[in-house]
Structures are given as structure tokens and as C-alpha cells.
């Protein structure tokens, strides 16, 4: 009996790690994950050994040749100048492509190809063509090991699996509306999620050990609702790309026919840093500045994205079509319909990003940002410290439940907008969200705290719009469980005028995923960072306090609207990305962005380079 007790204790500790999470005591463990795992492990590598140096006049073929021949852990350097290119640059494992800075090394693409085999063409491919969700290269059944926290699973076969490979686990969607947590593409206004048909809950894992049909993966399972009755399965690519980097340059496709500027497909532990991406409006279609699909653990940081292919839809900044544990941190988005669009993705962190001018064809219609959850299975993601207009969790391509929103500052709308201007919109089946410590609204404009389906009075001027099927509190299937399952704690809004610490806004008696009323009004500074960032928090124009936003912040310099609450009672300071945006020069309406001019010099940037090895100059 003692051995059995020890075994059970060991299993419990394995499933739920003993170290306390930053959100412990506030969010129930079933409703949150260890977000410190997001992005590449550790810091972005400082690769100081240069294998090749290329100058303006180099072609895509020459750049790709330099990349493919570059030894692991080294860098291909593009000297300052303008590169007029046609085709697609293809990154390779463990190699960095680096410019001299995004205002110095400018890549202008007149035409692009489709090396990544994504739905559309791209200027830069960070990935491999090895069978995607519509025709996966390898599949198997997942026969055991479903508990949240499990890292060992059992599979029906391990053919073509290898240590260091990437697995994508999924299961059948919920078939019909029920109480509790729902993940389903079919229960939507239209289909279109990028996942195996009817299987839009996904977990991504890197294989760390193979013992017959017992496979060890990292990270462990993060979802609370894997079930044997849902026919769990696995698919995996033959050769994912990993540890590739893109740094210190500008990618400009102008009004060309590029579908995306950068495609990240079948990739893990890759990154972008100090990259400027520019797209201009045209009639040639397009989709996103960056599209991430069937990838995990990638980082996009310290970058600037400007422009939209068209002003209606499919004009995204970063589209995370299907992925997990990516880190989108300290970026600026301007003149884009929807800056960050999570699809079938989980465990991601979207943090300290600033967005403005969410450009849309209807001059009255407000597009929330920086983050808009858009596909079935967009869940268990952390939205922290962002500043912009607001957020949406919709039901267009399926249900988007169980995300966390912490210490964001949302003003509710771009200037002059009058429609769709509520701050937080959670549509039908968008249940179990956690909204904690945010600062919301425009004083003198927002006059209603919440519009809960079916009542939609003053919906456009509400802080919360909960449980409506269609945007702007329109008709369609309505869901009262959205409001009943949301956790709200310590938020400040311009309608109430004080932080709200109401036990009635905590779903402590929910039948499926209850959350106890927190025992304290104390909030941690972050849900994923153990301390103030050292690599990008300071700016030449000042260093904001840490944390910059929340009910415990005083003396803040962000204002929103007019009247008594316009100062937001001092609960918000401008984040570094916003400070950079407001203090940097523009040319033709586009920011002259360079992270080295906006943020403190970063440790991984200042190491002296080693002598070039085997370089060629073209």
C-alpha cells in the first residue's frame, strides 16, 4: 500500500509540476499553462561566426547557395544596400541570415515563388515541404497517455519517427453544442480552420525519446480535455526545420503578388529579430506578413510590420494558422486590418506588442487589435501587456475558448470609429476565458460595462460584449455560458471607474472548470516573465515601470478619451514598443524602425564577431 501511495504521489507530481506558476492562486491549473515555455528555449543565439558575406547585386540563388553551404551555428551576412530580388529565400537548419540593420539592408522583391508549399507564395521560406495538414506525410493513432501534464504517449506505430522530430497530436472535435468546454470547427459561421478536417485541437511536441511505441515528448500535454473516445491521432513531417534565424533587415514586397512576406511551416525554435516587413495595398490578393503553420516554439521579437494587401480581410500581420508555444513579443503593427491572428494554436504568448491604425475599408467599422482569435482550437494562449484597441474571440472558423488576458491596455477603438467599438468581444462558445488586471475603454465614449446576449443595448459602447454569434452583438446563435464561465478579476474600466474585485465575476461553481475566488488582490507583474525584461525594456526616451499596466500601477502616462476617467486613474504607462513608435521618424508614413535605435543594446547583439571562416564575396 505504501508503494502504491508513493506511485500515485509521483504520478500526481509529474502531471502537475511542484513549482508554483506565476498565476498560481489566481487561475485554476486546468485553465492555464506554463507560458514561460513559449518561444525558443533560452535567449536568441548570438551567432558571431560569419560563413559568407554578400553585397547588393546578389541574387536569390546566390543567397540560397550561401545559406545551404553555411556550417551549423554560423551566419550569412548581407551587407548594407538595396537588393532587388525575384524568387524565394530559403533558410536552413541552424543558420542565421543577418543584415546590417532594417534601414540599411533592404530586400525588395518584384516576384516570389512558393518554396514552402503554403497556400500562397512567399518572399522568405522558413520551413520544409513535407506534407501538411491536408495530406500529412505520416499518421498514426494515439492510444494512451491523455492526462494534462503527461509527457509519455503511446502510439500505434513509430515509422519515420526520430528523436528531434516534431509530432502534432489531435482529436475529433465536439460534434454538437453542449455545456462546458467546446472545440469545434463545424459550430461556426463558416469553415476554414487550418487543421485536419474536424480535428482542430492540437498539441505539438518534440520527440525526446523513443521506446517502441512509447514516445516521450516535450513540452508535456497542456490541454485538459483529451479523450480516448475522440479518436486521438498523430501526424508528423519528415524533416522539420529548426534553429534558423532572420535578423536586422527589411523585407519589402510592395504591391507585388506575394501571398506572404515570410512563411514559417514545419519549423521549431526559429526566430525573427529586428525585421521590418512592408506590404502595400494592391489588387493582387495576399494574406499576411508572416504565416506560421504546423510549427512550434518560435520567437518573433523587436520588429515592425506595416501595411495591408487589401483593406477588407485576409490582411493579417502575423497569422498563426496552426502552431503552439510561439512567442510574439515587443513588436509594432501599423496600418494592418488584423495584426495578430491566432488560428488553431495553443500555449502561445502575445506580449507587449503595440498596434495602431487597424486599416479597414469601412471607415466607421473598428478592427480590434493587436490580437483577434479566429479559428477553432485557439486556446490556452496568453495575451499580456499589449496596447491597442481591444480583442475578439470569434466563432467564424470555429470555437476559441480558454485564453488569458493579463495587464493589457485597450482604448476600444481607432479614432473616429463608431461601429464595433466595444473593447472585449467573446462570441458564441468562447468560454472559460480569464480576464485579469486589464485597463480598458475610452472615457467619454464607452458608457456601458457589459452587453450579454441576448440584451444588446449600447453594445458598441460597452466594455464587454459576451455571447453573441455575430459581430457588433448581432443575431445568430447566442450563448449565455460565455458570460457564466469567464473569470474577471482586478480589471479597471472607464465606465466603472475603479478596479473590480468582484466574487460574482469568478465562476467558482462551474460544473466543469471552476475557478476559486482568489484569496488576494495582489497580482504578479507577469504570467510568463519572472522579472523585468533586460533585453528590450529600456528606450532612449525613458524606461517604463514594471509592470506598466494594472490596478496596482499608479502615475501612468497613458490617456484615453475625455473627462474624469481620461487619465485611466494612472493605471497605465506606455510600453517600450509604443514609446518607440511615438518617437521614431517616418518617411512616406512608414516608420524608420531599427530596434537598435529604440531599445537598449541587447547582450546577444554586442558580442564581437569572430574572424570569417571560408567566406566568399559575391
Amino acid at each position: 500500500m505504501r508503494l502504491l501511495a508513493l506511485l500515485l504521489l509521483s504520478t500526481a507530481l509529474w502531471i502537475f509540476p511542484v513549482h508554483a506558476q506565476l498565476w498560481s492562486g489566481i487561475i485554476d491549473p486546468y485553465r492555464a499553462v506554463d507560458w514561460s515555455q513559449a518561444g525558443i528555449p533560452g535567449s536568441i543565439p548570438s551567432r558571431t561566426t560569419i560563413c559568407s558575406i554578400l553585397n547588393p547585386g546578389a541574387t536569390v540563388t546566390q543567397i540560397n547557395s550561401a545559406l545551404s553551404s553555411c556550417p551549423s551555428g554560423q551566419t550569412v551576412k548581407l551587407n548594407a544596400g538595396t537588393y532587388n530580388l525575384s524568387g524565394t529565400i530559403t533558410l536552413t537548419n541552424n543558420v542565421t541570415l543577418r543584415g546590417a540593420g532594417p534601414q540599411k539592408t533592404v530586400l525588395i522583391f518584384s516576384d516570389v515563388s512558393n518554396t514552402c508549399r503554403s497556400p500562397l507564395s512567399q518572399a522568405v521560406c522558413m520551413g520544409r515541404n513535407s506534407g501538411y495538414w491536408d495530406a500529412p506525410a505520416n499518421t498514426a493513432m494515439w492510444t494512451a497517455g491523455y492526462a494534462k501534464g503527461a509527457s509519455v504517449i503511446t502510439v500505434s506505430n513509430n515509422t519515420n519517427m526520430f528523436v528531434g522530430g516534431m509530432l502534432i497530436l489531435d482529436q475529433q472535435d465536439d460534434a454538437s453544442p453542449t455545456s462546458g468546454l467546446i472545440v469545434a470547427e463545424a459550430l461556426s459561421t463558416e469553415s476554414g480552420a487550418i487543421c485536419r478536417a474536424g480535428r482542430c485541437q492540437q498539441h505539438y511536441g518534440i520527440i525526446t525519446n523513443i521506446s517502441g511505441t512509447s514516445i516521450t515528448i516535450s513540452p508535456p500535454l497542456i490541454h485538459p480535455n483529451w479523450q480516448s473516445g475522440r479518436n486521438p491521432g498523430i501526424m508528423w513531417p519528415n524533416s522539420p526545420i529548426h534553429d534558423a534565424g532572420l535578423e536586422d533587415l527589411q523585407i519589402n514586397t510592395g504591391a507585388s503578388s506575394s501571398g506572404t512576406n515570410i512563411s514559417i511551416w514545419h519549423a521549431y525554435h526559429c526566430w525573427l529579430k529586428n525585421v521590418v516587413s512592408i506590404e502595400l495595398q494592391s489588387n493582387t490578393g495576399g494574406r499576411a506578413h508572416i504565416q506560421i503553420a504546423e510549427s512550434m516554439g518560435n520567437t518573433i521579437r523587436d520588429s515592425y510590420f506595416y501595411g495591408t494587401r487589401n483593406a477588407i480581410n485576409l490582411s493579417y500581420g502575423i497569422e498563426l494558422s496552426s502552431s503552439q508555444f510561439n512567442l510574439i513579443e515587443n513588436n509594432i503593427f501599423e496600418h494592418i486590418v488584423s495584426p495578430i491572428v491566432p488560428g488553431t494554436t495553443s500555449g502561445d504568448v502575445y506580449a507587449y506588442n503595440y498596434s495602431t491604425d487597424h486599416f479597414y475599408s469601412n471607415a466607421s467599422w473598428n478592427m480590434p487589435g493587436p490580437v483577434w482569435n479566429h479559428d477553432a482550437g485557439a486556446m490556452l494562449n496568453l495575451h499580456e501587456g499589449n496596447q491597442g484597441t481591444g480583442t475578439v474571440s470569434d466563432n467564424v472558423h470555429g470555437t476559441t475558448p480558454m485564453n488569458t488576458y493579463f495587464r493589457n491596455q485597450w482604448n476600444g477603438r481607432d479614432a473616429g470609429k463608431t461601429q464595433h467599438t466595444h473593447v472585449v468581444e467573446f462570441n458564441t462558445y468562447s468560454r472559460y476565458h480569464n480576464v485579469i488586471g486589464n485597463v480598458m475603454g475610452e472615457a467619454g465614449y464607452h458608457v456601458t460595462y457589459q452587453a450579454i446576449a441576448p440584451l444588446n443595448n449600447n453594445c458598441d459602447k460597452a466594455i464587454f460584449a459576451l455571447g453573441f454569434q455575430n459581430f457588433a452583438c448581432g443575431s445568430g446563435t447566442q450563448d449565455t455560458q460565455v458570460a457564466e464561465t469567464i473569470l474577471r478579476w482586478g480589471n479597471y474600466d472607464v465606465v466603472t471607474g475603479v478596479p473590480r474585485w468582484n466574487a460574482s465575476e469568478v465562476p467558482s461553481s462551474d460544473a466543469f472548470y471552476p475557478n476559486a475566488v482568489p484569496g488576494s488582490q495582489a497580482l504578479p507583474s507577469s504570467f510568463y516573465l519572472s522579472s523585468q525584461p533586460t533585453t528590450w525594456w529600456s528606450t532612449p526616451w525613458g524606461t517604463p515601470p514594471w509592470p506598466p499596466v494594472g490596478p496596482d500601477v499608479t502615475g501612468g502616462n497613458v490617456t484615453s478619451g475625455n473627462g474624469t476617467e481620461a487619465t485611466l486613474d494612472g493605471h497605465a504607462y506606455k510600453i517600450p514598443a509604443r514609446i518607440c513608435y511615438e518617437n521614431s521618424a517616418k518617411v512616406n508614413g512608414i516608420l524608420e524602425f531599427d530596434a537598435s535605435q529604440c531599445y537598449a543594446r541587447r547582450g546577444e547583439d554586442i558580442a564581437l564577431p569572430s574572424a570569417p571562416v571560408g567566406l566568399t564575396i559575391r
Side-chain angles (χ1 to χ4, degrees):
M1 292 297 293
R2 291 181 62 187
L3 287 174
L4 177 60
L6 288 172
L7 176 61
L8 292 174
L9 176 61
S10 174
T11 301
L13 294 179
W14 171 53
I15 294 175
F16 296 104
V18 294
H19 66 278
Q21 295 292 331
L22 295 168
W23 40 260
S24 294
I26 303 171
I27 307 175
D28 184 87
Y30 280 114
R31 300 171 64 120
V33 302
D34 179 4
W35 287 297
S36 67
Q37 302 176 89
I40 65 171
S43 61
I44 292 175
S46 176
R47 291 176 173 161
T48 58
T49 301
I50 299 173
C51 61
S52 294
I53 299 175
L54 287 80
N55 291 309
T59 65
V60 164
T61 299
Q62 290 171 323
I63 295 172
N64 287 340
S65 176
L67 288 166
S68 63
S69 61
C70 189
S72 177
Q74 298 186 21
T75 296
V76 172
K77 179 69 181 293
L78 299 181
N79 276 336
T82 299
Y83 295 71
N84 295 296
L85 303 173
S86 177
T88 296
I89 293 174
T90 304
L91 300 185
T92 58
N93 285 335
N94 290 298
V95 172
T96 297
L97 179 62
R98 180 184 299 144
Q103 298 306 314
K104 297 178 180 179
T105 300
V106 179
L107 312 185
I108 297 179
F109 289 81
S110 59
D111 192 20
V112 295
S113 60
N114 191 4
T115 303
C116 274
R117 211 224 77 175
S118 67
L120 296 170
S121 55
Q122 62 281 148
V124 175
C125 173
M126 188 180 289
R128 294 285 173 82
N129 182 350
S130 53
Y132 298 114
W133 80 97
D134 54 347
N138 305 280
T139 61
M141 300 309 299
W142 171 18
T143 58
Y146 307 127
K148 179 182 172 80
S151 58
V152 178
I153 62 171
T154 304
V155 300
S156 61
N157 74 82
N158 63 10
T159 304
N160 293 331
M161 290 187 187
F162 58 94
V163 172
M166 182 177 68
L167 298 183
I168 305 170
L169 287 64
D170 60 15
Q171 68 178 7
Q172 290 176 339
D173 289 351
D174 292 279
S176 60
T178 60
S179 296
L181 181 65
I182 294 179
V183 178
E185 180 183 13
L187 300 176
S188 62
T189 57
E190 62 181 74
S191 61
I194 297 183
C195 57
R196 287 203 286 182
R199 305 176 68 90
C200 288
Q201 179 170 305
Q202 296 181 340
H203 177 89
Y204 287 71
I206 302 301
I207 300 173
T208 61
N209 187 63
I210 300 174
S211 179
T213 56
S214 293
I215 311 298
T216 305
I217 59 172
S218 179
L221 301 180
I222 64 172
H223 299 78
N225 60 330
W226 296 109
Q227 301 173 33
S228 60
R230 291 287 172 80
N231 199 28
I234 308 174
M235 56 182 175
W236 64 97
N238 289 324
S239 53
I241 188 175
H242 59 87
D243 299 283
L246 188 68
E247 303 175 356
D248 301 332
L249 49 77
Q250 180 180 141
I251 297 172
N252 189 334
T253 56
S256 72
S257 59
S258 171
T260 62
N261 278 11
I262 303 165
S263 288
I264 302 175
W265 286 59
H266 284 174
Y268 68 87
H269 301 166
C270 298
W271 68 89
L272 277 74
K273 181 183 69 175
N274 195 22
V275 170
V276 168
S277 177
I278 296 175
E279 293 182 343
L280 301 179
Q281 190 172 354
S282 69
N283 296 319
T284 59
R287 190 174 185 99
H289 285 262
I290 300 177
Q291 187 180 43
I292 302 177
E294 297 196 354
S295 300
M296 65 171 289
N298 302 294
T299 295
I300 300 173
R301 204 185 77 189
D302 307 346
S303 295
Y304 171 62
F305 303 89
Y306 178 89
T308 181
R309 259 318 158 233
N310 63 72
I312 300 175
N313 55 22
L314 297 180
S315 293
Y316 308 137
I318 301 173
E319 181 187 17
L320 300 114
S321 298
S322 51
S323 59
Q324 184 170 296
F325 274 129
N326 299 289
L327 174 61
I328 314 298
E329 181 182 66
N330 190 42
N331 300 288
I332 301 170
F333 300 87
E334 183 177 15
H335 202 63
I336 300 171
V337 171
S338 297
I340 303 174
V341 183
T344 300
T345 188
S346 55
D348 286 356
V349 172
Y350 317 119
Y352 304 98
N353 301 289
Y354 177 64
S355 66
T356 185
D357 182 21
H358 305 89
F359 185 57
Y360 191 59
S361 60
N362 183 339
S364 297
W365 187 270
N366 185 68
M367 299 298 288
V371 187
W372 182 315
N373 298 302
H374 195 48
D375 287 3
M379 60 186 295
L380 291 169
N381 299 310
L382 172 62
H383 308 231
E384 178 178 301
N386 301 291
Q387 295 187 353
T389 57
T391 191
V392 167
S393 186
D394 72 25
N395 191 24
V396 173
H397 299 307
T399 61
T400 55
M402 203 174 273
N403 293 296
T404 295
Y405 305 80
F406 184 56
R407 292 191 183 274
N408 301 281
Q409 184 267 315
W410 296 308
N411 56 32
R413 61 173 184 155
D414 278 320
K417 306 293 185 178
T418 57
Q419 296 177 282
H420 198 235
T421 54
H422 33 255
V423 183
V424 177
E425 177 181 359
F426 294 155
N427 288 159
T428 299
Y429 308 129
S430 295
R431 302 170 183 170
Y432 295 101
H433 293 303
N434 310 307
V435 184
I436 302 165
N438 300 283
V439 174
M440 302 175 286
E442 179 184 322
Y445 180 81
H446 291 102
V447 297
T448 302
Y449 175 62
Q450 60 185 6
I452 299 178
L455 303 177
N456 62 358
N457 293 338
N458 282 326
C459 177
D460 283 325
K461 295 185 176 183
I463 301 297
F464 288 95
L466 305 175
F468 297 92
Q469 175 80 67
N470 296 326
F471 301 128
C473 303
S475 60
T477 302
Q478 297 174 342
D479 183 6
T480 59
Q481 291 186 53
V482 173
E484 294 167 357
T485 58
I486 186 176
L487 162 62
R488 289 181 280 186
W489 187 249
N491 299 295
Y492 170 90
D493 68 88
V494 297
V495 176
T496 303
V498 294
R500 297 173 66 97
W501 308 95
N502 298 343
S504 63
E505 293 189 326
V506 178
S508 56
S509 60
D510 182 77
F512 299 93
Y513 299 104
N515 199 103
V517 176
S520 169
Q521 295 181 2
L523 299 177
S525 297
S526 172
F527 280 166
Y528 80 104
L529 294 170
S530 60
S531 61
Q532 176 180 311
T534 58
T535 57
W536 48 267
W537 195 254
S538 298
T539 80
W541 309 279
T543 301
W546 176 256
V549 174
D552 47 355
V553 172
T554 59
N557 57 8
V558 174
T559 60
S560 180
N562 301 286
T564 305
E565 300 301 327
T567 63
L568 304 176
D569 281 3
H571 291 310
Y573 284 87
K574 296 176 183 179
I575 57 175
R578 183 171 184 173
I579 295 172
C580 172
Y581 176 81
E582 293 181 353
N583 288 278
S584 297
K586 286 187 173 184
V587 174
N588 297 323
I590 301 175
L591 211 64
E592 288 194 301
F593 174 85
D594 189 324
S596 68
Q597 304 302 310
C598 274
Y599 312 116
R601 292 295 291 172
R602 298 176 293 281
E604 67 265 28
D605 288 339
I606 62 177
L608 294 176
S610 303
V613 176
L615 66 84
T616 58
I617 299 178
R618 298 180 172 89

